[in-house]
Amino acid sequence: MNAKTPDAVSSRRILSIWLPAIAMDRWRNAGDEDRRSLDSRPLVLIADTAHGPRIEAANRAGMVAGARRGMMLADARTLCPDIVTAPSDPAGDLAFLEKLAIWARRWGPWSAMDAPDGLLVDVTAVPHLFGGEEKLVADVEAAFARRELGLRCAIAPTAGAAWALSHFGPQGAILEGRGDFEARLAELPVAALRLDDDVLTVLRRLGLKRLGDLTGIENGGSGRDAIQRRFRNRKSPAANPLIRLDQILGRVPEPLLPVVPQHMPLVQRRLMEPIRHRQLLDKVVEDLAQDMARELEGRGEGARRLELGLWRVDGEVVVRRLEMASATREAGHICRLFAARLDDVDAGFGIEMLRLRASWAEPLALEQGDIEAAAETHGTSLSACIDRLTVRLGARAVSRPVAFASHIPERAQRWQPPLDPEPASQGEFAFHKRPLKMLDKPEMISVLYATPDGYPKRFRWRGGVHEVTRVEGPERIAPEWWRERGGTRLRDYYRIEDDRGRRYWIYRLGIVGDGRGGAPDWYLQGLCA
């Protein structure tokens, strides 16, 4: 173990925070006293799977009774019949972890999520502000203890080393960057490399149980080559022990994605007197919409999703949400959309506060002439029409065409709700020219040509005969082999012009002698400008 730690790594300090019971702690702290009273009884959080309920988290009493994460609930009930269950919330846990990552920036300039139950904080050049690294760790433990969150933390020169010590090292471990820190990590199990379960199984079968076993083979010379040959097809770091070993020792960089908080535009009104009548409610919503429009204009953005919260006197909160087809900051349009969502609001004894928040905003530059406003003056703009139809009929009642990655013309687009994000595609095939109008279904035509594989000279379509004067092509499109059968024929597309100057898009289905049928058929599929 004579490898030296790079100077750049030795000067870096990473704080790893592991919250082993984040799901259970959040579930207990988010509830009332009834939830806290269950701490003394075996309790598990479960998730539905294809094979039945599976345990996602267990409290201390549940683990004493034999319940473990990943165990099926039926197996746990055989060990403890009176175990108490509650549904898990992975999405809520992830959102809570994201909030903790933002809050953890008090200990460093940036922090990253180590899902599903950890945080990584860059504390380089920060510990002296707390009186040293020991006091920084003590401050972290005290801050989480005040929030009744259990944790294990460690500080090391690399993210991998900090993660390994927080999970498998002593509580509050601090690993200095100076000297040969491979020896200090040698006693940790190979699970400290953050590998997949199947990789850990292979390493254990090879007799590699500790990090010292891996580094010993590696420093021996040919050992690294043998491990590399076994895992040469594993490109993911979690599936290749050598990549993880290099990361934990600082030989290769490990990029981390910091959590950057975004402040969403928010406006609110606290009313001197509670309101109960719809006319007054519409007036307050109009004022909020105007404030939101000014806020968005100052940021150069437009709202795609708006949330209107109404606080009643009795403490109940009524929330109404909107999603727009395109970014907007027009106060009148926002008011008209919310007017259809406020008809069923029960004001109770009155509404004393209203809050409007843009949870989704996009850049929206100023436009010359304000085309959308001019369109509404003479009728209704397209985006406003989509928003009104969506509010009135529902999000699934309105559809729009979107491009789809397929060379087959009739499959090159699909229909989806206007608020859904566009699917990933291979990009537009700009080098392929497509007609202005496509027929719903290609129509068969009769074509006269000089040779079986030659250009068309004349064709008959819908009872008329057209003389071909110009031809461009062919553009060959092969069938999609993953969808079509082996006997599907090729297509050769031509752009043609008749003697009257009209242009068409036709194709020949099949090639003479291709062994997939008789003579080729011709079809007309589009009309060009």
Side-chain angles (χ1 to χ4, degrees), residues 67-219:
R68 294 292 184 271
R69 181 179 180 181
M71 179 185 294
M72 304 305 295
L73 179 61
D75 298 335
R77 288 195 183 278
T78 60
L79 301 175
C80 182
D82 59 343
I83 196 169
V84 181
T85 63
S88 64
D89 183 15
D93 297 338
L94 189 62
F96 180 63
L97 185 65
E98 185 176 2
K99 294 179 180 179
L100 286 179
I102 298 174
W103 173 70
R105 295 174 61 186
R106 59 185 296 172
W107 295 297
W110 63 263
S111 60
M113 295 174 56
D114 185 21
D117 54 7
L119 302 172
L120 294 172
V121 185
D122 188 352
V123 294
T124 305
V126 173
H128 72 279
L129 301 177
F130 295 85
E133 293 184 347
E134 293 81 2
K135 293 186 178 180
L136 187 149
V137 170
D139 185 74
V140 172
E141 294 174 348
F144 278 87
R146 287 192 295 268
R147 287 159 177 79
E148 300 183 8
L149 297 174
L151 85 158
R152 293 176 57 86
C153 60
I155 298 179
T158 63
W163 188 95
L165 289 173
S166 64
H167 285 69
F168 299 96
Q171 171 64 21
I174 299 176
L175 182 62
E176 297 293 340
R178 298 180 298 272
D180 185 11
F181 70 93
E182 288 186 18
R184 301 187 59 183
L185 299 174
E187 296 301 322
L188 298 181
V190 292
L193 291 177
R194 300 168 292 170
L195 297 171
D196 296 334
D197 293 338
D198 59 335
V199 180
L200 293 176
T201 302
V202 173
L203 294 178
R204 293 191 183 100
R205 290 175 179 175
L206 295 175
L208 304 175
K209 300 180 180 180
R210 301 179 300 110
L211 294 185
D213 299 335
L214 269 176
T215 55
I217 292 178
E218 182 186 31
N219 295 333

Side-chain angles (χ1 to χ4, degrees), residues 1 90 112 244 252 258 281 327 337 349 453 528:
M1 301 183 183
R244 285 301 196 195
V252 297
L281 178 61
L337 295 179
F349 295 103
D453 294 331
C528 303

Side-chain angles (χ1 to χ4, degrees), residues 5-6 9 158 181-182 185 215 218 245-251:
T5 304
V9 174
T158 63
F181 70 93
E182 288 186 18
L185 299 174
T215 55
E218 182 186 31
L245 185 62
D246 290 341
Q247 287 179 345
I248 198 174
L249 298 178
R251 297 170 182 169

Side-chain angles (χ1 to χ4, degrees), residues 187-492:
E187 296 301 322
L188 298 181
V190 292
L193 291 177
R194 300 168 292 170
L195 297 171
D196 296 334
D197 293 338
D198 59 335
V199 180
L200 293 176
T201 302
V202 173
L203 294 178
R204 293 191 183 100
R205 290 175 179 175
L206 295 175
L208 304 175
K209 300 180 180 180
R210 301 179 300 110
L211 294 185
D213 299 335
L214 269 176
T215 55
I217 292 178
E218 182 186 31
N219 295 333
S222 60
R224 183 180 180 93
D225 294 336
I227 298 177
Q228 179 66 35
R229 285 194 300 269
R230 181 175 289 272
F231 297 97
R232 61 181 179 272
N233 296 326
R234 306 290 184 94
K235 303 301 182 183
S236 172
N240 193 317
L242 294 181
I243 296 178
R244 285 301 196 195
L245 185 62
D246 290 341
Q247 287 179 345
I248 198 174
L249 298 178
R251 297 170 182 169
V252 297
E254 181 179 357
L256 300 176
L257 182 63
V259 177
V260 180
Q262 293 185 353
H263 301 284
M264 293 290 100
L266 184 145
V267 294
Q268 67 179 18
R269 283 285 191 278
R270 295 183 179 272
L271 307 177
M272 298 182 61
E273 294 290 339
I275 60 175
R276 298 181 59 188
H277 300 290
R278 176 60 186 273
Q279 184 177 2
L280 298 176
L281 178 61
D282 290 341
K283 178 59 178 176
V284 178
V285 171
E286 181 181 354
D287 294 341
L288 287 175
Q290 293 176 355
D291 293 345
M292 178 60 69
R294 287 190 290 268
E295 181 74 15
L296 292 171
E297 185 176 3
R299 298 163 60 102
E301 296 178 339
R304 287 292 304 274
R305 184 185 296 117
L306 292 170
E307 298 178 358
L308 177 64
L310 301 92
W311 272 256
R312 301 195 327 186
V313 176
D314 56 4
E316 184 177 349
V317 181
V318 181
V319 180
R320 293 292 183 269
R321 295 178 175 84
L322 283 179
E323 286 194 14
M324 274 73 73
S326 61
T328 181
R329 53 173 177 257
E330 184 184 352
H333 181 52
I334 295 174
C335 292
R336 286 191 295 271
L337 295 179
F338 270 119
R341 293 292 179 90
L342 299 178
D343 293 335
D344 58 343
V345 171
D346 182 11
F349 295 103
I351 298 173
E352 59 181 357
M353 187 179 74
L354 290 89
R355 177 180 296 171
L356 181 62
R357 184 172 73 99
S359 57
W360 178 13
E362 293 180 346
L364 182 63
L366 296 176
E367 297 181 359
Q368 182 179 2
D370 201 352
I371 300 175
E372 288 290 321
E376 287 208 21
T377 303
H378 300 88
T380 302
S381 65
L382 177 60
S383 59
C385 178
I386 293 176
D387 292 338
R388 293 178 183 178
L389 292 176
T390 302
V391 171
R392 182 181 297 273
L393 304 177
R396 298 294 172 182
V398 183
S399 300
R400 62 173 176 139
V402 295
F404 183 73
S406 177
H407 289 274
I408 307 300
E410 57 266 25
R411 296 176 184 167
Q413 73 174 20
R414 291 186 176 181
W415 293 86
Q416 70 176 29
L419 302 181
D420 289 356
E422 292 190 10
S425 64
Q426 299 174 356
E428 297 181 358
F429 303 111
F431 52 89
H432 289 317
K433 296 181 180 179
R434 292 294 179 257
L436 181 64
K437 180 180 180 180
M438 297 276 290
L439 301 181
D440 293 337
K441 185 178 180 180
E443 299 183 8
M444 182 175 289
I445 59 177
S446 300
V447 176
L448 176 65
Y449 41 85
T451 62
D453 294 331
Y455 290 138
K457 299 296 184 180
R458 183 185 302 113
F459 71 95
R460 180 186 297 272
W461 176 55
R462 293 184 179 180
V465 178
H466 305 267
E467 296 289 339
V468 178
T469 58
R470 295 181 181 180
V471 180
E472 179 183 349
E475 174 192 344
R476 177 159 294 180
I477 297 180
E480 297 175 340
W481 57 266
W482 60 92
R483 297 184 55 177
E484 307 289 357
R485 296 181 178 179
T488 305
R489 313 185 77 173
L490 300 175
R491 296 185 185 183
D492 284 341

Side-chain angles (χ1 to χ4, degrees), residues 494-511:
Y494 297 88
R495 295 168 60 88
I496 63 176
E497 180 179 331
D498 64 5
D499 53 354
R500 298 183 182 180
R502 292 176 294 191
R503 298 179 179 180
Y504 308 89
W505 200 44
I506 65 175
Y507 70 89
R508 179 180 60 212
L509 183 61
I511 302 176

